[in-house]
Amino acid sequence: MACSATLFSLPLSFQKPSTRQLLSLFHHRYDSFNHRKDSVRRRPLVPVFCLSDGANQDTEPQAESTSAASSSSSLSWSSSPSISSNSTYNLCAALGGIGLVETAYLSYLKLTGSTAFCPIGGGSCDNVLNSDYAAVFGVPLPVIGMVAYGLVGAISLQLAAKKLPFGIDESDGRLVLLGTTTSMAAASAYFLYILNTKFSGVTCSYCLVSAVLSFSLFFATLKDFGLQESMRRLGSQIIIAGVVFITLSTSYNGSLPISQSAAELDLPYFETELTKPSSPLAISLARHLQSIGAKMYGAFWCSHCVEQKEMFGREAAKLLDYVECFPNGYHKGTMIEKACSEVGIEGFPTWVINGQVLSGEKELSELAEISGFEVDGIS
């Protein structure tokens, strides 16, 4: 064992002295201290450490390695959430951009009355886009979606760039993003329920894409918050979802095909006499629709149904395969005919042509095109 000692103010490099030398040195310093105790400041006694030859050399690199590892681990831990957040923000920005393009296209179709290109389900997309559920308090649903997706994309880009407007910090920006995606996911869940219960047999590819985007945005934002913080925010998320459900339900309950005032009426069944004569082309179209099994569903009190029949005229209307949904009149508590309920009718009239469910009045030229009746100049 080699000892490195410091006695009083001895340097660390002092070599091991003999016992006699240590005692002599100690007495010399003690005598000097007694003679000059008024002028000399007392120095502390430093303890003696005895280490093996290799211990001192090996300990310092190990300590430095441990310190470096600790520092590296601390750096990695502190930078990991930031990297994860940036990835989440970029993903949300990309998904928001896709949703913005989709809803902008649907908004254009809705505002211009154009026909949607539906890659899956044929004309089913138009049925959903033109139904009573395609607007919330009179505002077209695609327009609302366009605003929501645009907001998510803008916030995500701002969070990724660390440049939020109006003095908003990152923490508040993340909360806004979470609240927006929560409301979008809740709305998508509500609309999926409507699609499955009110549009039986109808496929809307745009609705499904929007639902996938909304849920993806929600879960990506939720994952960024982490499990512990997400649980702390669960109450506010439930409140947001509840507000969305109540808002949509209130909007649609106020725009049912049969109004609340009509529900109190007692209407006996009656037939409306048609006065317009039928053209030869209208009669040919009516026969063609009958031959392919096309059906028109309506209600005796529905003015739109009468107008649809008037487009065909008196003779052609009799050739149509028309299904009356209230053949016994309408009274309080009257149920719609089973044949009509199985179709999933949302309004009158409703056409079922080649498996497609079409709501609302249709021009004769449109019916000819859908049914494959190739005759020009129908009027």
Side-chain angles (χ1 to χ4, degrees), residues 165-185:
F166 312 115
I168 301 176
D169 58 17
E170 183 176 0
S171 178
D172 293 336
R174 293 173 71 232
L175 290 177
V176 173
L177 185 62
L178 179 62
T180 305
T181 55
T182 299
S183 62
M184 293 172 66

Side-chain angles (χ1 to χ4, degrees), residues 103-154:
T103 50
Y105 170 66
L106 295 179
S107 297
Y108 167 77
L109 296 179
K110 185 69 175 177
L111 296 177
T112 60
S114 304
T115 302
F117 167 73
C118 195
I120 301 176
S124 300
C125 296
D126 282 327
N127 297 337
V128 177
L129 289 174
N130 296 322
S131 69
D132 295 326
Y133 295 96
V136 178
F137 293 112
V139 181
L141 195 58
V143 174
I144 299 176
M146 185 172 62
V147 173
Y149 282 117
L151 179 62
V152 168

Side-chain angles (χ1 to χ4, degrees), residues 45-62:
L45 178 65
V46 180
V48 178
F49 298 94
C50 292
L51 302 172
S52 64
D53 292 338
N56 190 41
Q57 296 176 359
D58 294 339
T59 302
E60 290 186 2
Q62 183 177 357

Side-chain angles (χ1 to χ4, degrees), residues 279 281-282 284-285 311 363-369 373-379:
S279 66
L281 290 177
S284 298
L285 175 60
M311 291 184 187
E363 295 292 333
L364 298 187
S365 58
E366 185 178 356
L367 291 173
E369 180 181 357
F373 183 67
E374 299 178 356
V375 175
D376 298 331
I378 294 181
S379 58

Side-chain angles (χ1 to χ4, degrees), residues 174-237:
R174 293 173 71 232
L175 290 177
V176 173
L177 185 62
L178 179 62
T180 305
T181 55
T182 299
S183 62
M184 293 172 66
S188 294
Y190 186 93
F191 292 129
L192 286 178
Y193 168 77
I194 294 295
L195 186 63
N196 290 328
T197 57
K198 304 298 183 180
F199 295 86
S200 178
V202 175
T203 301
C204 177
S205 54
Y206 295 106
C207 305
L208 298 178
V209 169
S210 182
V212 170
L213 291 174
S214 297
F215 286 121
S216 298
L217 286 168
F218 171 69
F219 286 118
T221 308
L222 201 64
K223 182 177 180 296
D224 182 60
F225 271 79
L227 178 61
Q228 185 174 2
E229 188 172 359
S230 298
M231 293 302 295
R232 291 197 300 110
R233 308 288 180 186
L234 183 60
S236 59
Q237 290 176 271

Side-chain angles (χ1 to χ4, degrees), residues 246-301:
I246 293 173
T247 301
L248 294 176
S249 298
T250 302
S251 173
Y252 295 141
N253 287 338
S255 58
L256 292 175
I258 302 177
S259 65
Q260 296 298 325
S261 58
E264 301 298 329
L265 296 178
D266 186 1
L267 297 176
Y269 175 79
F270 63 88
E271 290 187 9
T272 302
E273 183 180 356
L274 303 179
T275 58
K276 178 183 175 181
S278 301
S279 66
L281 290 177
I283 294 176
S284 298
L285 175 60
R287 287 174 177 169
H288 170 72
L289 292 172
Q290 185 185 51
S291 67
I292 64 174
K295 293 185 178 182
M296 173 185 170
Y297 296 82
F300 67 93
W301 43 261

